[in-house]
Amino acid sequence: MNTENNNDEAIDLEALKNDPQFQENLKLLEKEMRAQRSIAKGYQLLDAKLLMEAEQEEINELFTFIVNEAFDRLSQTLSEGGRFDMSDPEQWATARAVYEHGIQRYSENDQKGAREIFLILYYLITEEELRDAMMIHAAAVAAGHDFDSFIENLADVKSIDPNDASAFFITSFVQPQDILLQMFAKEVAEGKALLAKMEENSKTTGE
């Protein structure tokens, strides 16, 4: 029975690959993505390309577009003193791209770069649970947890619901968030001090 289902899925996928209308829709989506510089549409196109098992070069090009646009948007938000409105699909996609880049830095042992990105996300995100999760990420880095230790000992990845839009962000941990923030009190205080200094410097530069 499972074999038949798998075959059906394979046939559907093959049919999509050869469906002129579907291919045309992808081209239109890419055109809109570039015209609007839309990160949200970039992710939609990326999901479709991954499903279609597109060439790695195409995938890499999309990743580059998403990350470049996200960091341009991040710089603009910081310079304007704004915050990310996570109910806005475009701003949510921007935060997701920045976060995924931070996770990549973390996994590549760039502790300083990863911590800075998580702290900036804490600073820009207004949604409380997600905001606190970013501080836990930053504090874990500062406390000396490497990426593997973070995933194995702190993050509760088993509880991630793949149907939940926020599942792209790790927000569940082996301990409640408030307990972890207390455990990392020293690192949290240091992180907030760094952000206060950054904010002060930006005000001075803007004057």
Side-chain angles (χ1 to χ4, degrees), residues 34-171:
R34 296 194 184 280
Q36 299 166 16
R37 297 177 61 189
S38 171
I39 299 168
K41 287 185 176 177
Y43 271 121
Q44 287 176 25
L45 186 59
L46 179 64
D47 287 343
K49 295 277 188 183
L50 288 169
L51 181 67
M52 295 291 100
E53 299 171 342
E55 294 290 330
Q56 192 60 45
E57 191 177 336
E58 290 181 56
I59 302 298
N60 291 344
E61 188 184 341
L62 267 175
F63 267 124
T64 301
F65 170 86
I66 287 169
V67 171
N68 287 347
E69 286 296 330
F71 276 87
D72 283 350
R73 208 80 54 85
L74 176 69
S75 297
Q76 185 181 354
T77 304
L78 283 170
S79 67
E80 292 173 354
R83 294 290 186 275
F84 284 144
D85 176 2
M86 299 302 278
S87 65
D88 179 286
E90 201 61 41
Q91 293 187 41
W92 184 91
T94 303
R96 173 188 166 184
V98 173
Y99 173 73
E100 288 178 346
H101 188 70
I103 287 290
Q104 183 184 343
R105 292 266 192 101
Y106 198 4
S107 70
E108 293 170 353
N109 291 319
D110 178 4
Q111 312 280 19
K112 183 176 182 292
R115 184 188 182 205
E116 286 173 356
I117 287 173
F118 297 142
L119 282 174
I120 286 171
L121 285 170
Y122 167 82
Y123 179 75
L124 292 177
I125 289 170
T126 54
E127 199 275 307
E128 190 175 359
E129 183 187 14
L130 187 50
R131 188 170 186 260
D132 285 345
M134 294 303 99
M135 180 55 84
I136 291 168
H137 281 63
V141 177
H145 286 274
D146 63 18
F147 180 71
D148 289 340
S149 169
F150 175 77
I151 294 297
E152 290 168 17
N153 303 319
L154 291 175
D156 182 13
V157 290
K158 291 176 185 173
S159 71
I160 292 174
D161 178 2
N163 297 314
D164 179 2
S166 66
F168 292 108
F169 301 87
I170 295 172
T171 56

